Amino acid sequence: MYIQSLAIAYLMVKDFFSGQGIRSTVAEVVEDMISSNESIPEHLSVKKFSGKFQVRITPYIHRHLAIEAGVSLNRLISAKLAHQ
């Protein structure tokens, strides 16, 4: 029974992420938003970004990571993202 449940869950997730599942879900959400007179968010390709993001961690972890890296976490993360 457990294996069968996993197989069904896998197929559901696979279908959702296949493209058609996402498209139909988005279409349903947009339709619902229109019928509720809600504004539809702008597409990410036209949205303006600040260039900043925040991650909340404990001061202990922040200190530990900064000491380990030898540079600020902002500099470390920027370098990691630039070199993907």
Side-chain angles (χ1 to χ4, degrees), residues 2-75:
Y2 177 73
I3 300 287
Q4 186 179 13
S5 296
L6 283 177
I8 291 169
Y10 169 77
L11 291 173
M12 290 171 63
V13 169
K14 183 180 173 191
D15 180 53
F16 178 78
F17 287 105
S18 69
Q20 184 56 39
I22 291 173
R23 281 191 277 280
S24 63
T25 300
V26 169
E28 289 174 21
V29 169
V30 168
E31 186 178 306
D32 185 54
M33 291 178 78
I34 291 170
S35 69
S36 302
N37 292 324
E38 296 179 56
S39 60
I40 299 169
E42 62 185 337
H43 192 274
L44 290 177
S45 65
V46 295
K47 183 177 178 178
K48 294 181 181 167
F49 292 90
S50 69
K52 299 185 282 185
F53 71 96
Q54 293 183 333
V55 178
R56 306 237 184 259
I57 56 175
T58 66
Y60 172 80
I61 292 173
H62 189 169
R63 181 176 185 275
H64 176 77
L65 292 172
I67 290 170
E68 184 178 304
V71 295
S72 74
L73 293 185
N74 283 335
R75 183 167 291 177

